[in-house]
Amino acid sequence: MEAWQSDEFQAAIVNGLVDQKLGQASLNFGPTLLDNQTSPTWVTLRHELLTCHHFRFAVAFITDAMVSNLKPIIRELSGKGIKGEILTATYLNFNQPKVFQELMKLPNVTVKIASGDGFHQKGYWFDHGDYATLLVGSANLTANAMLGRNQELTLRLDSRTQGSFTNQFTTAFQHFWESAIPLTATWLADYAAHYQPLSVPKPNSVAKPVIHLNSMQKQATTEIEKLRQAGQPRALVISATGTGKTYLAAFAVQAARPHRLLFVAHREQILQKAKASFQTILGGPASDYGLYTGREHQIGAKYLFATVQALSRNLANFAPTAFDYLIIDEVHHAGAATYQTLMDYFHPQFCLGLTATPERTDDTSIFELFNYQVAYEIRLQAALEAEMLVPFHYVGIADYHFKVAKDNQRVMKYLERFSDGGHHQADVQAVKLLTSDERVAYLLEQTAYYGYAGEQLHGLIFCASVLEANELAQALNRHGHPAAALSGEDSIAHRQQLVAQLTAGQVEYLVTVDIFNEGIDIPCVNQVVFLRNTSSPIVYQQQLGRGLRKFPGKDYLMVLDFIGNFKHNYLLPLVLTGDTSGNLDATRTTINGQTLIGQSTINFEPVAKSRVLAALNQVHLTALSRLRPQYRALKQRLGQIPSLMDFVRFQVADPLVISTSGPVKNYPQFLIKMGETIELSDYQDRVLTFITAELLNGKRRQELLLLQALLQTNQVSDQQYQAILANAHCLRDEFTLRSVRKVLALTYFALRARPTRTDYGELPIVTYQNGSYYWGDQVRRELQKPQFKAWVTDLVAVGLALAQAYLPDQAFTPGKKYTRKDAVRLINNPKNLNAQIVSGYYFTNEASGLHEGIFFVSYHKRRGIRKEIDYQNEFLGHQALRFFLNGKDIRPGAKNVQRLISGRDRLHLFVQRSNATDQKNYYYLGTCHYQTGSLQKVTYDNLTRLAINLEFDRPVSDYLLQLLMEDDDD
């Protein structure tokens, strides 16, 4: 442990256990109480595992779900030669035999079972070399205790290797370990033979269980009924696969009590299940329920379930008003001519559309078909967080690497060709390679290691072509794993037969291309394997959704994604999280396994991770080409050109990205790029560019609040403005108010250096006279035009919405991103400065009365950077940063050096991970100060620099520190 670490360690112990006014709190060391609510305990445990040299767990209760989450991490540690021990128990028969079976798979981990009764420990010990970290408290190694559901108390405590606390734990652990029983196959067989699960009281009645709607479905049925009673003829329900939209529709029908119902779908299997679900909810004689398909024509049924194909061929058999309630399932197909004909023909009192994915890639708007009336919407991520679905455990695995380079190239070319989901001629030789014994053995090694929830495997495999599916199924059978292939060419009866065999455990895998994308319900599926590259997020989510339905004994869905070197790999973290922000750091966080969606987890093995990161580094997430489909989808939903606030309201995309992507400088410019006809004068364009570039981000809301007030009245007095700021808890000191006035008058901006006053229209946006604020003359005239006023109003509303992410009573919010330009304005500097002038740091002019310093650090320099600025700043834990001054401040007596060490200025520190991918944005770490005595002259590669330690006034969060220190190649 280095000297700074030792100092930080001791200061943290004193602060945490002796007196919080002494020492200094540290997020790296010292005692911390984890409650599993503020942040799941698993986040801390996972980090400790990935950074330790050795670990020991003493924990009574373990579930299969958490062993599943351990597997990718333990495998990564094993690759580094890191070992561990797990001491557990059979206390109360909580640990199922399958848990011990899965624990035996963990490489480099020795497992023992505590002897005797009453072992109820929950301690996790991590050796970090010179010190150890212990998590001890109430949290067992179960999903509820680790992933945010249960309220727990777990103490995280650090102890030096020579400390008595470390000795106490190791001695106690060793005592129990020596008397414990090794986990072996023989022991497990005996345990399984005598195992009696925890007894769960059974209900006395054997009556059929009653189905109840959850809270979200209750809200949905209420909204559907409101629209129907208000006279709306149509409404749309958007509900993720597996969330029970069929039952929801049945309850909606129960509330409406129609004389006759027509339920339409494109597959008979959907109808069979829907008919059974409706009969369960609505009751009544079986004769009330009928099918209308190619084989069945029960035309007189009160509740008729029909295929769209059969109906479209026999519409003359029905009166247009034969049904007063029409339901169309999987309604995203309604753009097809058969659906259009059906919807034009029938005239029900109410039509309800059901879909998980209403978005289409053509010009057909499902929203328009349903008059833009969305009664209810819950997407995949929200459904997971609401626990309407089983959580998934996703692991990205590097696909098999063939020994011959040409073989790998051939396979990649074949998989890339099929990534669009289309039907192409399959490369027979590529399929032979993909279904060869060596590759199949590799696949089975991975699927066996990661396993599945429950006692029986029910797997779905998605591959690229029908030929591959057939060949792979045969290969799996040869390897002793019963499998069958399915394609669109198979009959309905054959599909149903194979689904029944999968459910019964007679086959382990169904192998397909896209036959299970939608409309087929196989709740037992507990492992989904992706052997295909996809460029379609919709298809990927549909296929993932096949395994997310709840089923007895299924605590989670195991998702194994075999990843090659594909250009679309960057889509994976975006699809899994539903993230459309274009935030590169958020995407990297997901790739690094730090994102949880409810109890769903995401992990990439190291090689797969490097492939996804490589693809991410090659794509521009905020390019107009990526924004176009998002814009089109929102426009289809609304039936009109969206406002910028619509992007916020529907969480479609980041409004800042929309307004500033590529050459775009404001939202009307974006609309023009999207092909809309927009009338925009040059002056209007410049004013909107000013609001977008300087105010829209919401990082300081004072200007926005003033503009909002002026939109309502043409004059705002000092007293009124002060009251507005006070009500919003904003800074309102004279320096801030002076800055606001200069920015809105445009005198803050230079005449020549960009952005210039001319760039923003040259004339004042707001003037300040005799103690009151007014619109500038030209802006006031332009605001008489409704469209321009609507744009300004929209921008101000969006800016204030984005401002909610920032502290109003602080100049900067720790953990948020700022540019140099932002920082200069927010320290109330009297004038805007070119980024090159600010460079690595800048102090305000003392004549201004301000005493502020801003420091900017690129932690990882991009390749090819000039030698004179290629020096490495370094974090010294969570408490300080080793910072190198630039070449002009080489003397200790230099003015900037003296200001830095004097302590007269408030110093703000901004750090970015790398300037290779983002040269503008920096995370704000907080205020800091010069660490006394740390000034040092350092010579490196024939260049001499002064180096100092900047000590943080508050420790940096662990998450932020990891993000900033991560290398581009990680």
Side-chain angles (χ1 to χ4, degrees), residues 405-421:
K406 287 185 178 179
D407 290 345
N408 291 300
Q409 293 168 4
R410 184 162 203 151
V411 165
M412 290 301 107
K413 184 177 179 181
Y414 158 78
L415 292 172
E416 285 278 14
R417 192 187 319 133
F418 281 87
S419 67
D420 61 358

Side-chain angles (χ1 to χ4, degrees), residues 108 199 207 214 230 311 398 400 517 556 614 764 788 792 863 873:
N108 268 6
S199 59
N214 59 43
L311 274 178
Y400 184 72
N517 284 11
Y556 62 93
F788 179 69
V792 173
R863 292 182 177 89
N873 302 296

Side-chain angles (χ1 to χ4, degrees), residues 709-710 713-717 720 769-775:
L710 285 170
T713 178
N714 289 324
Q715 177 183 353
V716 176
S717 68
Q720 290 171 324
Q769 304 170 32
N770 303 319
S772 289
Y773 298 89
Y774 305 86
W775 286 115

Side-chain angles (χ1 to χ4, degrees), residues 283-387:
S287 58
D288 280 354
Y289 300 84
L291 292 174
Y292 195 85
T293 66
R295 297 176 299 173
E296 303 278 354
H297 295 86
Q298 298 164 339
I299 196 168
K302 179 178 181 180
Y303 305 115
L304 187 62
F305 297 80
T307 62
V308 65
Q309 297 88 346
L311 274 178
S312 62
R313 292 192 298 266
N314 300 281
L315 285 175
N317 292 338
F318 301 90
T321 57
F323 304 96
D324 48 341
Y325 207 117
L326 170 63
I327 296 176
I328 302 178
D329 198 13
E330 306 291 355
V331 77
H332 49 275
H333 293 293
T338 49
Y339 282 88
Q340 294 284 331
T341 301
L342 182 152
M343 293 182 74
D344 289 341
Y345 182 82
F346 286 108
H347 301 294
Q349 293 177 15
F350 189 71
C351 176
L352 181 65
L354 308 176
T355 182
T357 52
E359 293 79 15
R360 292 176 58 93
T361 55
D362 58 19
D363 291 329
T364 301
S365 171
I366 302 303
F367 297 99
E368 182 179 4
L369 287 175
F370 285 84
N371 302 329
Y372 308 102
Q373 297 297 321
V374 178
Y376 173 68
E377 179 174 5
I378 182 166
R379 301 285 184 154
L380 176 60
Q381 287 71 28
L384 286 165
E385 290 173 356
E387 299 184 5

Side-chain angles (χ1 to χ4, degrees), residues 75-94:
R75 176 179 270 189
E76 183 174 341
L77 294 178
S78 176
K80 301 175 184 177
I82 294 170
K83 299 181 179 181
E85 293 90 40
I86 297 178
L87 179 63
T88 186
T90 59
Y91 184 54
L92 298 179
N93 273 6
F94 181 90

